[in-house]
Amino acid sequence: GLHLVSAMAYGGTYYCNARFRTRAPFLYVHLGSTLVMASFSLFYLWSVVLFILTRPFVMPDEAMVYSVSVGTVVVYVVVVAHQLQKLREGLLGQLQGKESKGKVISFLKYLGLDVRTIICSVFGGALLVLMVALMILLAGEMYISSGPISTISTAFGTTCTAFTTMFAQLRHKQEAQEESVAGIPSFILDLV
């Protein structure tokens, strides 16, 4: 409540070109409430992490599901990052002596094979796999009776989702690279 009201008040005074002395209290209230809300969010996140970390010790039969889910995310990150780097290096090898460094870098950005895009793709994919794993865990807790079947189905669902996402992402990047390698001369002419 206070955060929203202070944001609206400060935004209104800023929009109306009020002097800084007039809008300063609204700014400080807004910054203070933002700091308090961020602190509460971090405390809540820490509580959730502690809950998740202690759960396998309290319920050891679920430790397999958590370890498989985390292992799947780690495998996803390692494999996708390696394959995208391999695509990037292969393309760099093809273009290295033929074009200038600036054109090569802009072409890699165009393809989405620059370092920043690779990191964002891997992080986004890992986050997707982790969210799907959490949804499967939640659905397994809610609808499937506890036992070996629910843990195996949850672990299997997480792994299948991760590998399906991984193969789709890599196939998409490979197809984009193959299509664009044929269009390198037109791309370079567009840059000039």
Side-chain angles (χ1 to χ4, degrees), residues 1 6 9 17-18 38 48 63 79 85 104-105 135-137 145 151 159 183 186:
S6 66
N17 291 327
V48 168
V79 170
Q85 273 302 111
V104 170
I105 290 173
M135 286 185 343
I136 292 172
L137 282 170
S145 64
T151 57
T159 306
S186 65

Side-chain angles (χ1 to χ4, degrees), residues 52-108:
I52 290 172
L53 288 176
T54 57
R55 191 156 179 186
F57 296 110
V58 175
M59 300 175 153
D61 54 328
E62 293 183 4
M64 182 187 79
V65 176
Y66 293 122
S67 61
V68 167
S69 299
V70 170
T72 301
V73 172
V74 169
V75 167
Y76 174 85
V77 168
V78 169
V79 170
V80 170
H82 175 72
Q83 289 297 325
L84 289 177
Q85 273 302 111
K86 198 165 119 181
L87 283 173
R88 174 180 160 66
E89 296 301 323
L91 195 58
L92 274 174
Q94 287 179 348
L95 297 175
Q96 198 64 29
K98 299 177 184 171
E99 297 299 331
S100 70
K101 189 174 182 178
K103 290 179 183 178
V104 170
I105 290 173
S106 62
F107 187 63
L108 287 174

Side-chain angles (χ1 to χ4, degrees), residues 7-186:
M8 291 175 59
Y10 177 70
T13 58
Y14 189 80
Y15 182 74
C16 294
N17 291 327
R19 291 185 322 210
F20 182 73
R21 222 179 321 148
T22 306
R23 64 180 182 214
F26 298 113
L27 172 65
Y28 297 133
V29 168
H30 177 64
L31 290 175
S33 63
T34 302
L35 183 64
V36 168
M37 290 183 67
S39 301
F40 283 135
S41 296
L42 285 174
F43 179 73
Y44 181 74
L45 178 66
W46 179 248
S47 301
V48 168
V49 167
L50 280 178
F51 173 74
I52 290 172
L53 288 176
T54 57
R55 191 156 179 186
F57 296 110
V58 175
M59 300 175 153
D61 54 328
E62 293 183 4
M64 182 187 79
V65 176
Y66 293 122
S67 61
V68 167
S69 299
V70 170
T72 301
V73 172
V74 169
V75 167
Y76 174 85
V77 168
V78 169
V79 170
V80 170
H82 175 72
Q83 289 297 325
L84 289 177
Q85 273 302 111
K86 198 165 119 181
L87 283 173
R88 174 180 160 66
E89 296 301 323
L91 195 58
L92 274 174
Q94 287 179 348
L95 297 175
Q96 198 64 29
K98 299 177 184 171
E99 297 299 331
S100 70
K101 189 174 182 178
K103 290 179 183 178
V104 170
I105 290 173
S106 62
F107 187 63
L108 287 174
K109 282 184 181 179
Y110 172 75
L111 285 178
L113 289 174
D114 58 321
V115 174
R116 182 178 52 202
T117 308
I118 288 174
I119 290 171
C120 290
S121 296
V122 169
F123 180 73
L127 199 60
L128 172 71
V129 169
L130 191 61
M131 291 300 203
V132 168
L134 290 175
M135 286 185 343
I136 292 172
L137 282 170
L138 181 64
E141 289 287 325
M142 290 173 57
Y143 297 112
I144 301 174
S145 64
S146 63
I149 300 293
S150 67
T151 57
I152 291 171
S153 64
T154 304
F156 181 72
T158 304
T159 306
C160 288
T161 303
F163 288 123
T164 304
T165 305
M166 179 176 62
F167 290 133
Q169 186 178 20
L170 291 175
R171 189 176 339 111
H172 174 70
K173 288 289 186 182
Q174 182 71 31
E175 289 171 358
Q177 179 192 9
E178 290 171 358
E179 288 175 5
S180 60
V181 166
I184 289 175
S186 65

